[in-house]
Amino acid sequence: MPAPVVTRFAPSPTGHLHLGHARSAWEGWHAAREAGGRFLLRLEDIDRGRCRPGFDAAIREDLAWLGLGWDGAVRRQSEHLSDYRAALDRLDAAGLLYPCFCTRRDIHAAGGAPQGELGAPYPGTCRRLGAAERAERLAAAPDCALRLDVGAAVGRAGRPGWDEGGRPATFDPALLGDIVLARKEFPASYHLAVTVDDAVQGVTLVTRGEDLFAATAIHRLLQELLGLPAPRYRHHPLLTDASGRRLAKRDRAATIRSLREAGRSPAEVLTLAGCEAR
Ligand code: GLU
């Protein structure tokens, strides 16, 4: 018997849902409903600096209005920090993490991007620190970042591919560089939390925007290192405006709420978001 389909929608409560979110949510909802599976809702609320009270309820209200009902309880990442801590401790015990003391400015000066954007991965400065200097700096820096040593991780787990909409896909995680998995004072970043959550929630099909295609290489790597199952993936195209510019949260006109207030129906909003049964 094929495994049941379990999908999820995982917005961050940092603003109102926009058309791009409606598309992502619908992709997961539709795939689950079509297969008689389950559609889950997770709130990625660990970015304490960016999450705002009120958006959690607004997201649930907008989804309900769109008719994209979810199954079971909502998972809030902020309530599961011990799960991320346990995964982090395992990676640390395997010698795959190192503390990073670089500021954004240091990283830019060395020609990298703090979040490991493609084309400008973190240059690995702190990976090369000697043990004595590392210990000294750790004592002086109560809250440094913890990075994954991607080279060592690939040495251990290879470059695992994945099922992308029924086709094999691969991407070299080294192109993203040594991404930040946590901070010393806070056990999770997006990459670690999403990997743990997809496993804990039994997600079998991840539907999300194609901007996260490359990040999937990191998630697959973490799954292999932590012995977690590999879901299937389906990355969908991002919505663009008439001039081809990607729709973003700052485009107030494209929030579900503003469209609803302007008198659009849920069906019209889903059509605007490019949701079509295939
Ligand atoms: N929180 C992410 C977003 O809103 C989604 C991440 C994911 O689906 O893996 O773009």
Side-chain angles (χ1 to χ4, degrees):
M1 223 174 74
V5 172
V6 181
T7 63
R8 62 13 173 229
F9 174 52
S12 304
T14 55
H16 284 300
L17 294 186
H18 57 71
L19 279 177
H21 288 113
R23 171 66 182 273
S24 263
W26 180 85
E27 292 280 347
W29 176 87
H30 182 255
R33 294 290 171 260
E34 197 179 34
R38 285 164 59 74
F39 171 61
L40 309 178
L41 177 60
R42 174 195 312 156
L43 291 167
E44 299 205 329
D45 62 349
I46 48 171
D47 187 345
R48 290 170 297 182
R50 292 179 54 229
C51 293
R52 297 279 171 271
F55 286 128
D56 172 332
I59 286 172
R60 287 179 285 129
E61 204 181 290
D62 287 350
L63 283 177
W65 179 77
L66 284 169
L68 306 179
W70 60 93
D71 301 306
V74 177
R75 180 172 169 99
R76 288 183 182 77
Q77 290 186 328
S78 58
E79 294 169 0
H80 299 278
L81 298 186
S82 56
D83 290 357
Y84 313 132
R85 165 70 64 198
L88 194 68
D89 287 349
R90 287 182 56 195
L91 296 169
D92 197 21
L96 297 173
L97 303 181
Y98 65 87
C100 173
F101 310 98
C102 293
T103 61
R104 284 174 174 269
R105 188 185 292 194
D106 296 334
I107 296 170
H108 278 300
Q115 302 306 331
E117 278 142 38
L118 289 179
Y122 172 66
T125 319
C126 289
R127 183 177 0 98
R128 294 186 284 270
L129 291 180
E133 185 175 0
R134 186 171 282 167
E136 194 177 305
R137 293 187 71 172
L138 259 180
D143 190 24
C144 56
L146 295 175
R147 290 186 182 272
L148 178 69
D149 182 338
V150 171
V154 167
R156 191 120 359 147
R159 293 180 180 77
W162 65 90
D163 177 314
E164 176 69 42
R167 299 219 168 97
T170 50
F171 192 85
D172 185 358
L175 294 175
L176 287 144
D178 294 347
I179 40 91
V180 173
L181 281 194
R183 302 202 68 84
K184 205 166 147 224
E185 301 286 302
F186 193 75
S189 70
Y190 161 67
H191 295 296
L192 184 66
V194 76
T195 303
V196 170
D197 287 342
D198 283 337
V200 168
Q201 293 191 285
V203 171
T204 62
L205 172 64
V206 172
T207 55
R208 59 186 178 194
E210 66 189 3
D211 53 331
L212 289 167
F213 180 88
T216 305
I218 294 288
H219 305 163
R220 284 289 300 116
L221 186 56
L222 291 173
Q223 285 156 7
E224 292 297 313
L225 294 167
L226 294 166
L228 303 175
R232 293 180 290 129
Y233 290 84
R234 202 187 290 160
H235 293 91
H236 61 77
L238 298 177
L239 294 182
T240 50
D241 65 14
S243 60
R245 204 174 54 108
R246 183 179 157 189
L247 289 182
K249 280 187 184 157
R250 60 184 173 273
D251 300 317
R252 210 193 102 67
T255 67
I256 307 308
R257 202 146 280 237
S258 59
L259 292 161
R260 171 180 170 183
E261 280 159 13
R264 303 282 196 150
S265 70
E268 284 171 326
V269 171
L270 290 175
T271 301
L272 281 174
C275 308
E276 282 164 55
R278 281 175 294 268

